[in-house]
Amino acid sequence: METVEAANPGEEETRPGTPQLLFNLYDVGEVEIEDMALDRYVNLHSMIVPHSCGKLTGGDFQKSQMLIVERLINRLMQTEHNTGKKQLAIRIVKDAFAIIAQKTDKNPVQVLVEAVANAGPREETVRLKYGGINVPKSVDTAPQRRVDSALKFITEGTQKNSRGKKSVAAALADELIAASKGDMRAYSVAKKEERERIAKSAR
């Protein structure tokens, strides 16, 4: 006599190889990186909770292997108010993603990737010394530095816009949505344009 095993409702979620949804809501696997220069430096591996527990801190340039959402969370912690408060930063990003999904009907991770691509300067200036005189020189920005700068500008814009009645999550959501569209009213896009304008004058 054959016995029929009861189906486990959670079997599909725990089966090895099954994609894990970020915050159990968003599929990172469907996100596309249109800027091919950033493909190696914007990591999109699947995680439920974006927390690597410091596994990628042992070597140089290993931050590129970290999920881009966790890099945003870590950048939010580098402030006088949120230092060391990772659970608070995770909650801020989760709430911001919920606002983005409601306003745009898009995957919030896709909006983040587009915002990083639009807020990262492609050209910057360095100072070269010739006979005791500092001369600015325009140089191309490395892709990893583009990602670093974009995350920095996005979090700076979030802090600046959340000083009033607007919550940090709402400010972050508005900054990401505006940056993903390349809107000059976004702080991060304006800073990027400023850096590229200075670099253009130093060619």
Side-chain angles (χ1 to χ4, degrees), residues 8-22:
N8 185 2
E11 184 178 358
E12 287 295 327
E13 298 179 2
T14 58
R15 182 177 298 171
T18 302
Q20 298 173 326
L21 301 181
L22 181 68

Side-chain angles (χ1 to χ4, degrees), residues 47-61:
M47 296 177 70
I48 297 176
V49 179
H51 193 357
S52 58
C53 302
K55 295 177 182 178
L56 302 174
T57 59
D60 296 335
F61 306 111

Side-chain angles (χ1 to χ4, degrees), residues 24 26 32 35 45 56 59 64 107 131 133 144 157 170 176 191 194:
N24 280 326
Y26 313 113
E32 297 181 357
D35 193 334
H45 65 271
L56 302 174
S64 296
N107 189 328
I133 302 174
Q144 183 160 327
L176 289 175
K191 289 291 287 184
E194 178 186 348

Side-chain angles (χ1 to χ4, degrees), residues 40-202:
R40 291 177 54 192
Y41 303 95
V42 176
N43 193 295
L44 294 172
H45 65 271
S46 60
M47 296 177 70
I48 297 176
V49 179
H51 193 357
S52 58
C53 302
K55 295 177 182 178
L56 302 174
T57 59
D60 296 335
F61 306 111
Q62 288 194 356
K63 59 186 176 182
S64 296
Q65 303 174 24
M66 186 182 298
L67 179 65
I68 188 64
V69 179
E70 185 177 1
R71 293 195 61 189
L72 173 64
I73 290 168
N74 290 345
R75 192 71 207 187
L76 282 172
M77 288 199 303
Q78 297 176 9
T79 65
E80 56 183 322
H81 299 294
N82 297 336
T83 301
K85 301 177 182 178
K86 187 147 191 174
Q87 292 301 322
L88 174 62
I90 290 174
R91 188 163 64 249
I92 290 171
V93 172
K94 184 177 180 180
D95 293 344
F97 278 11
I99 296 171
I100 292 171
Q102 183 179 10
K103 286 186 175 181
T104 65
D105 291 328
K106 293 176 65 176
N107 189 328
V109 184
Q110 180 70 56
V111 174
L112 170 61
V113 170
E114 293 172 358
V116 168
N118 290 336
R122 294 175 172 83
E123 195 176 12
E124 293 181 294
T125 55
V126 296
R127 292 194 174 274
L128 302 179
K129 197 166 186 178
Y130 292 107
I133 302 174
N134 288 324
V135 179
K137 177 66 176 176
S138 174
V139 294
D140 292 334
T141 306
Q144 183 160 327
R145 181 168 171 79
R146 281 186 61 197
V147 177
D148 294 343
S149 299
L151 293 175
K152 176 185 176 182
F153 295 156
I154 289 169
T155 52
E156 284 179 353
T158 300
Q159 295 165 28
K160 181 179 179 181
N161 295 327
S162 63
R163 291 175 182 172
K165 297 181 179 180
K166 185 183 292 187
S167 67
V168 181
L172 177 58
D174 291 345
E175 182 69 26
L176 289 175
I177 292 172
S180 68
K181 297 176 181 178
D183 192 343
M184 281 294 296
R185 289 175 294 181
Y187 176 89
S188 54
V189 177
K191 289 291 287 184
K192 169 218 173 185
E193 294 292 336
E194 178 186 348
R195 286 217 178 165
E196 290 185 345
R197 185 170 61 251
I198 295 172
K200 185 177 181 180
S201 65

